[in-house]
Amino acid sequence: MRVLVTGGAGYIGSHTLLELTAQGHEVCVLDNYSNATPEVLTRVRSLSNGIIHDFIGDVRDTAKLDEVMQDFVPEAVIHFAGLKAVGESTEKPLLYYDVNVSGTLTLLRAMERAGCNRIIFSSSATVYGEPVYLPYDEAHPTNPTSVYGRSKLMAEQILTDWAATSPERTAVLLRYFNPVGAHASAQIGEDPTGVPDNLMPFIAQVAVGKRDALQVFGNDYDTPDGTGRRDYIHVVDLARAHVAALNYAQGATGARPFNIGTGQSYSVREMVAAFERACGKPIATKQVGRRAGDIAAMQADSSRANAELDWVATHDLDAMTASTWAWQSKNPDGYKGS
Ligand code: NAD
Ligand code: UD1
């Protein structure tokens, strides 16, 4: 299939390009490089035998989208392009609604003009908010607690209304849990700018000597060791979920959300111990208070994705930490080192 991948130069997008081209899909990236570097596509191309077109542009740019649609004529779109920092979203709500909500609207209008009827959307487990029960299934109430989370839920609602207008239209809403890890080549991986917000890249930067110690946010949660628990998913498993979603979209109609996680959860302390096994050295930690807005634990029930997308996560925690360490130790400064 001919697949337009917005945000394809980003962390999850770059891994997905490799899985798509490995399955024979022809891809076209649209990225404005606000959180990526062109070096990513150089590396992806060196790892892939497939066809990877690319355009530099913004998903809010109507003229650019029309140009891409006319040149590439996609049969489906995977929409990764977006902003994802929860803290920043509180400070810059209009920017987040503009990129994540208006960007999705602009893209859908361009798809309509081009007659493209299938979209796979990067949503997040954060749309659920404080758990009423765990594991979350897709019927769990949605009550996001941040601007970022609300922008994702609004985009989901727009996609759902759009998909309902014609039996030919499909929107697959993938609610990711916590993506971690890197490609087996150690050539592509997560490369956050500035101080990492998320646990795994922070631990990796401590291991490689770029940060002194991991701050452990809270030890008084109602969890076995008192630290927060999350459902971490290997980015290659997540990338493969997009290939599965494309296959599903060919025979589906309407919008449908899917949880993409492993169904297992690990605490901050367990993650540190697993990373120490992978890198063979101790990770310095400092216990501090809770981070505002954090919840104690989250975990996916991904049985719908297992059954309907014919997809299952296959990488375990050791594969997640080992691949993160391989990427970080070979690229201590991320893509900037090349
Ligand atoms: P990322 O920042 O690495 O990738 C996003 C890509 O989109 C980047 O290459 C960036 O340059 C591009 N981009 C941003 N704004 C754009 C715009 N206006 N026009 C064109 N390109 C634009 O992030 P990621 O971790 O790969 O996440 C991809 C998607 O998945 C995002 O929508 C994110 O909200 C969602 N998501 C991520 C996580 C996570 O933990 N990484 C979890 C749940 C959902
Ligand atoms: C965060 C976002 C969430 C987003 C997800 C994936 C918040 C409040 N939530 O979730 O919306 O979908 O990232 O990108 O930011 N931790 C530490 N020290 C650190 C970093 C994290 O102890 O330096 C702990 C956290 O308290 C949490 C766990 O590690 O218990 C995971 O944190 P993180 O990787 O930031 O992911 P989430 O909190 O799940």
Side-chain angles (χ1 to χ4, degrees), residues 6-13 30-36 57-60 79-84 99-100 122-125 148 152 176-179 190 198:
T6 75
Y11 171 46
I12 305 167
L30 174 71
D31 203 298
N32 69 356
Y33 295 96
S34 57
N35 198 32
D58 198 294
V59 283
R60 294 164 296 172
H79 183 31
F80 291 109
L83 300 178
K84 62 171 182 176
V99 174
N100 293 356
S122 296
S123 190
S124 169
Y148 167 68
K152 286 288 172 187
Y176 312 158
F177 281 68
N178 290 58
E190 187 170 13
N198 297 118

Side-chain angles (χ1 to χ4, degrees), residues 167-232:
E168 292 179 354
R169 291 189 172 154
T170 311
V172 186
L173 313 171
L174 299 183
R175 294 176 175 165
Y176 312 158
F177 281 68
N178 290 58
V180 295
H183 189 254
S185 64
Q187 288 292 304
I188 59 169
E190 187 170 13
D191 182 18
T193 38
V195 183
D197 289 324
N198 297 118
L199 179 66
M200 189 71 127
F202 202 108
I203 294 177
Q205 291 195 5
V206 174
V208 85
K210 293 186 70 163
R211 313 254 163 222
D212 291 339
L214 171 77
Q215 293 191 322
V216 176
F217 296 142
N219 61 356
D220 55 353
Y221 287 108
D222 184 16
T223 59
D225 68 10
T227 67
R229 299 183 72 85
R230 296 291 182 271
D231 185 331
Y232 297 94

Side-chain angles (χ1 to χ4, degrees), residues 65-74 114:
L65 285 172
D66 283 344
E67 179 193 337
V68 174
M69 295 289 171
Q70 278 158 24
D71 271 36
F72 182 64
V73 195

Side-chain angles (χ1 to χ4, degrees), residues 299-312:
Q299 197 177 331
D301 175 345
S302 291
S303 50
R304 178 186 287 182
N306 302 153
E308 296 183 26
L309 303 183
D310 193 20
W311 166 89
V312 66

Side-chain angles (χ1 to χ4, degrees), residues 86-325:
V86 173
E88 186 188 52
S89 77
T90 310
E91 290 152 26
K92 300 177 181 169
L94 300 185
L95 175 66
Y96 271 68
Y97 289 127
D98 192 33
V99 174
N100 293 356
V101 183
S102 299
T104 303
L105 267 178
T106 310
L107 175 63
L108 280 178
R109 286 200 201 98
M111 287 174 62
E112 266 194 15
R113 285 192 294 278
C116 181
N117 286 320
R118 299 184 190 108
I119 186 165
I120 317 296
F121 177 64
S122 296
S123 190
S124 169
T126 201
V127 298
Y128 293 118
E130 192 66 45
V132 178
Y133 56 84
L134 284 176
Y136 296 116
D137 56 21
E138 291 83 356
H140 187 284
T142 48
N143 188 17
T145 54
S146 68
V147 170
Y148 167 68
R150 285 191 285 279
S151 75
K152 286 288 172 187
L153 186 59
M154 286 177 197
E156 280 199 8
Q157 289 163 339
I158 290 167
L159 287 158
T160 302
D161 290 340
W162 170 82
T165 58
S166 160
E168 292 179 354
R169 291 189 172 154
T170 311
V172 186
L173 313 171
L174 299 183
R175 294 176 175 165
Y176 312 158
F177 281 68
N178 290 58
V180 295
H183 189 254
S185 64
Q187 288 292 304
I188 59 169
E190 187 170 13
D191 182 18
T193 38
V195 183
D197 289 324
N198 297 118
L199 179 66
M200 189 71 127
F202 202 108
I203 294 177
Q205 291 195 5
V206 174
V208 85
K210 293 186 70 163
R211 313 254 163 222
D212 291 339
L214 171 77
Q215 293 191 322
V216 176
F217 296 142
N219 61 356
D220 55 353
Y221 287 108
D222 184 16
T223 59
D225 68 10
T227 67
R229 299 183 72 85
R230 296 291 182 271
D231 185 331
Y232 297 94
I233 174 157
H234 197 295
V235 66
V236 171
D237 281 328
L238 178 54
R240 289 177 183 161
H242 294 77
V243 180
L246 266 185
N247 294 337
Y248 164 89
Q250 283 180 278
T253 181
R256 193 138 171 90
F258 293 93
N259 287 339
I260 305 295
T262 65
Q264 305 241 15
S265 72
Y266 295 100
S267 73
V268 176
R269 292 276 167 215
E270 287 168 340
M271 293 302 284
V272 169
F275 208 93
E276 288 174 333
R277 285 197 299 278
C279 70
K281 47 183 156 181
I283 304 291
T285 61
K286 185 169 177 259
Q287 185 62 56
V288 297
R290 293 181 179 195
R291 178 172 66 178
D294 268 357
I295 60 171
M298 56 160 85
Q299 197 177 331
D301 175 345
S302 291
S303 50
R304 178 186 287 182
N306 302 153
E308 296 183 26
L309 303 183
D310 193 20
W311 166 89
V312 66
T314 60
H315 294 74
D316 64 11
L317 179 58
D318 286 338
M320 300 180 208
T321 50
S323 62
T324 305
W325 176 237

